[in-house]
Amino acid sequence: MSTEALKGLDVGRIAHRDAALLMWATDAHIPDALELYRAWGFRYVTVAFVWSKKTVNGKTVSNLAPWTLKNCELCLMGTRGRMVQYKQRNNVPQLVEAVRTRHSEKPEEVRRSIEALFGDVPRIELFARCRSPGWDYWGNEV
């Protein structure tokens, strides 16, 4: 979907007034991600996770790009309201080294880290590729 089409999704309506929005973005698409945060009523706060992609043999995945080889994907975080009140831990690691699986499928380790960070709050994954216990899903590939 284009950034304009994504901005038309009513994410702000389905989110609680105190909410965190974690969004995957490659570094070339950070400006688009920041636009989406604003359009959906969130304030960007940090890079929550950096996924160092590995092969099943443990080698680093490297993709060609105009400037440097790309081996990582970023999970940005934005918030609205008083989401900090739900923070459970201060020691959730940012770096996630995990095997790259199906196209666009994100590592389960990040879901577990989000759960550790915020505890038992309602969670939904948009554009989900798989199911995970304790999460609601939206998307046509689940």
Side-chain angles (χ1 to χ4, degrees):
M1 292 178 72
S2 70
T3 301
E4 287 306 310
L6 288 168
K7 285 162 77 172
L9 297 176
D10 202 359
V11 173
R13 185 183 60 76
I14 67 169
H16 191 271
R17 71 172 185 266
D18 297 321
L21 175 62
L22 288 100
M23 182 187 322
W24 288 98
T26 58
D27 53 353
H29 291 95
I30 289 173
D32 300 303
L34 298 177
E35 270 188 62
L36 291 173
Y37 277 121
R38 286 188 293 273
W40 294 337
F42 287 80
R43 179 179 58 90
Y44 167 77
V45 293
T46 193
V47 174
F49 302 103
V50 177
W51 174 21
S52 175
K53 297 179 181 184
K54 303 294 181 184
T55 67
V56 292
N57 299 321
K59 294 184 179 180
T60 300
V61 172
S62 294
N63 296 310
L64 291 175
W67 300 100
T68 59
L69 289 175
K70 302 301 177 186
N71 340 67
C72 296
E73 195 166 334
L74 306 174
C75 184
L76 309 178
M77 186 168 81
T79 61
R80 73 179 193 183
R82 295 188 31 209
M83 194 58 196
V84 72
Q85 69 184 315
Y86 299 99
K87 186 176 175 195
Q88 301 292 306
R89 291 181 41 195
N90 289 322
N91 61 349
V92 176
Q94 181 185 51
L95 180 61
V96 175
E97 296 182 277
V99 173
R100 179 184 66 182
T101 56
R102 296 191 299 153
H103 174 70
S104 291
E105 189 171 325
K106 305 310 181 205
E108 185 65 27
E109 292 91 325
V110 172
R111 285 184 203 85
R112 300 291 81 87
S113 293
I114 294 167
E115 293 167 7
L117 185 61
F118 292 115
D120 191 22
V121 296
R123 295 177 288 274
I124 186 168
E125 183 172 352
L126 306 180
F127 302 104
R129 300 281 197 263
C130 65
R131 296 180 187 275
S132 187
W135 290 72
D136 290 319
Y137 298 92
W138 181 85
N140 64 359
E141 295 191 28
V142 219

